[in-house]
Amino acid sequence: MNYINSMKIALNALKRNKFRSFLTMLGIIIGVASVIVMLAIGQGSKKSIQDQMASMGTNLIFAMPGSEQKGGVRMGSSDAQNMKLSDIDAIEKDCPAISDVSPEVRASGQAVNGNQNWPTTIYGVNNKYFSIRKYTIGTGRSFSENEIQTYAKVCLVGQTVVENLFGKNDPIGQSVRFKNIPLLIIGVLGEKGENGMGQDQDDLVIAPYTTVQKRILAITHIQSIAASAVSESQNNAAITQITRSLRNSHKIKEGAEDDFRVRSQSEMVQTFSSISDIMTVLLGAISGISLLVGGIGIMNIMYVSVTERTREIGLRLSVGGRGNDILLQFLIESILLSVFGGVIGISLGILATQLMSSVMNWPVVITTISVVMAFLVCSAIGIFFGWYPARKAASLNPIDALRYE
Amino acid sequence: MSKTIIQVNQLRKDFYVGEITVHALRGVNLEIREGEFVAIMGTSGSGKSTMLNILGCLDKPTSGSYFLDGISMGELSKNELAALRNIKLGFVFQSYNLLSRTTALENVELPLFYNSKIKSKERRERAEAALEAVGLTDRMHHMPNQLSGGQQQRVAIARSLVNDPVVILADEATGNLDTRTSFEIMALLQDLNQKGKTIVFVTHEADIAKFMTRQVVFRDGHIIREELVTNRNNAVELLKNLPLEELV
C-alpha cells in the first residue's frame, strides 16, 4: 500500500471541500482549545496556591495545645496553658530533624504612635522565628539574646504597621505603644504580601517572647511552638520527633491522647493542591465532553461524505483502488481533520490562555503534558470516529457504487 | 494473426434476488482480438451490462472461464482483481464520473495514484500525454464544471488511456451526448482504435454500433448474433456532412 499517495489523495479530497472541512474541524478546534484553557486555569490556580504556601515556608511546623482534661473536664484548646518554655528546650535537644524552633505568644490590640493608632497583633518569639517564618529584616536589626533575657522593650514592625503609624517617616528609633507599654522600634520587616488565605502577612509587630509574656500578657506559659524541619523531605520525621518530645515533656502515658496538635505547612499545601486537582479534573472533563462532541461531528460528516461520494468510491475501485486504499483514504481524511483541528485548537487555546493571563491577570500554567495529551486524544478521535465510515466506504461494491444515484 | 485479448468460455452468471434466481448470462463464448472495436448490443435485461462488469473484472462469473490478456481471472482475489484493473483496463462511463472540483489533469492522473511503481513526475507526464491524445492540452487545468459534456467525456477517455490498458471498456459512452458530440467522441475512439487500441463499447444504439468493427448482440443472457460491420461509418466524414445549423 502506498501511504504517501493515500495521503495526497486524502489531502486533495479535503481541499475540494475547504469550507466543510473547516466546519468539521471546528468542533475539534473548540474542544481542544477549551481543554487547553481549562487545564491551564486549573494548573495555574494550583501553582499559585502552592507558591503562596511556599512563601510561608514549606518546612514550617506548628505545635499548639490540643484539648486537655482537668479533673475530667475537657478544656478548649485556646485557653489551655500546657505548653511551657521547657518544651522548647526539650525539642531543641531531642529533635535532629528540626533546625530551628521558637516559642510563640500573641496579643492583639492597638498599636499607638503619637496621634496614630492601628489594630494589629504582637508576636512574642525568639530570634530564630524570622528564618522559620521566612521573614526578612528590611532595615535595622533583630533583637539580641541579652534583650530576650532582660525583657527589653524593643520590637520589629511589619510594613502595614509602618504605613499606618508612620507614613513615609523612618520608624527606626521611634517608639510604639502596645497596651500602654512603649516599645522601641529597632527594625522593620521586609515586605511579604498576602498569604494563600488572603491574610496580610505584613500586619504584625514582633517582640522578644519574654517581653510579651511578662510585660503585656503577664503569663509564664507559651501559646504555640513554631519550628522548621531541616528540609521539606524531613517534615514527617520532624513531626514524629516533636510529637514524641512533647509527649515526654508533658508526661503523657502510653495510649493516652495527645494534649497538643502538630501541623505542618506541607499538609496544608497538599490539601489545597488536591482541591485544585479535583477542580482541574472537573474542568478538563467538561471540556473533554466538547471534544467528544467534536469527534462525533467528524464521524457524522465522514459518514455523510461516504454516502455523498459513493460514485467517487466506485470510480476509484474501478480504476484499481483496493478496499484498503479506500479505507486508508477515508481514515487519513478523518485523522487529518482531527489533527489539523487539534493543532489549530492547541494554538488557539494557548493564545486564549496568554490573553487571560495578560488581560485578566489570571494565574495560568500550560503544561507540556496537557498539550501532548490533547494532541494524542485528537489523533485517537480521528482514528476512532473515522474507522466506521472508512470501513463502510471500503466495503462498497464497485458496481453498485458506480451506479449509485 | 493478432493476439487474443479477451477469451470467454461458457460464462454463466446467476443472481439471487430473494428466492428467485436470475440467469443473467447463460453460457457465453466470446473472443476479442487485439485491435478490434467491438460493439456489445442488446436491450436492457439482455445481460450486456453483466457481461461488461465481468469483462471489467468488477464482478466474478458463477461459472465458466475468462482470460484477460492470458491471465485467468477466476482464481484471483479481490485485491489482485483491483491490481489487474489498474494495469490492464480502462473504463469510460456514460456519466463520465469525473471528480468534481478537481482539474482535468488530476482526474486523468487518478488511476496512476493506485500504482505505487509510478512516481509523481511520470504520473504528471503520462497524464499530460493522455490529455494531448484526446485534444485537451489547453484545458488541462480546467475543472469539470468548466468543460462541456463532450470535453468531460474526452477527459474520461484520457483517464482510461493513461495506464496504457490492453482494452478500453466503454459503457454507453455517448448516451448523454447530442449527435454531433457523439460523433466527435466516436471519431476520437476510431482514431485510438486505428492506432491499435482494443475497445469494447456497450451501446443499444444501432447507428453508434455502426462505427465499430464487429457487433455482438445479446438477448436473454445469450449471444444471438455476432457479425463484422460491413459498411462501417467513418465519424470524421459524417461530421463533415452534418448540417451546419446543428452547430448552433
Side-chain angles (χ1 to χ4, degrees), chain B residues 7 14 16 29 39 59 81 99 123 126 144 186 198 200 206 224:
Chain B
Q7 173 81 56
D14 300 332
Y16 304 97
N29 298 306
D59 208 351
L81 283 179
L99 298 186
R123 184 166 65 222
R126 283 176 71 165
M186 291 322 296
T198 313
V200 176
I224 54 161

Side-chain angles (χ1 to χ4, degrees), chain A residues 246-265:
Chain A
L246 284 174
R247 283 179 74 93
N248 258 336
S249 315
H250 293 186
K251 303 195 169 53
I252 295 167
K253 288 193 194 84
E254 194 74 32
E257 227 177 287
D258 291 345
D259 63 349
F260 56 87
R261 288 176 294 151
V262 181
R263 291 280 177 276
S264 77
Q265 188 72 40

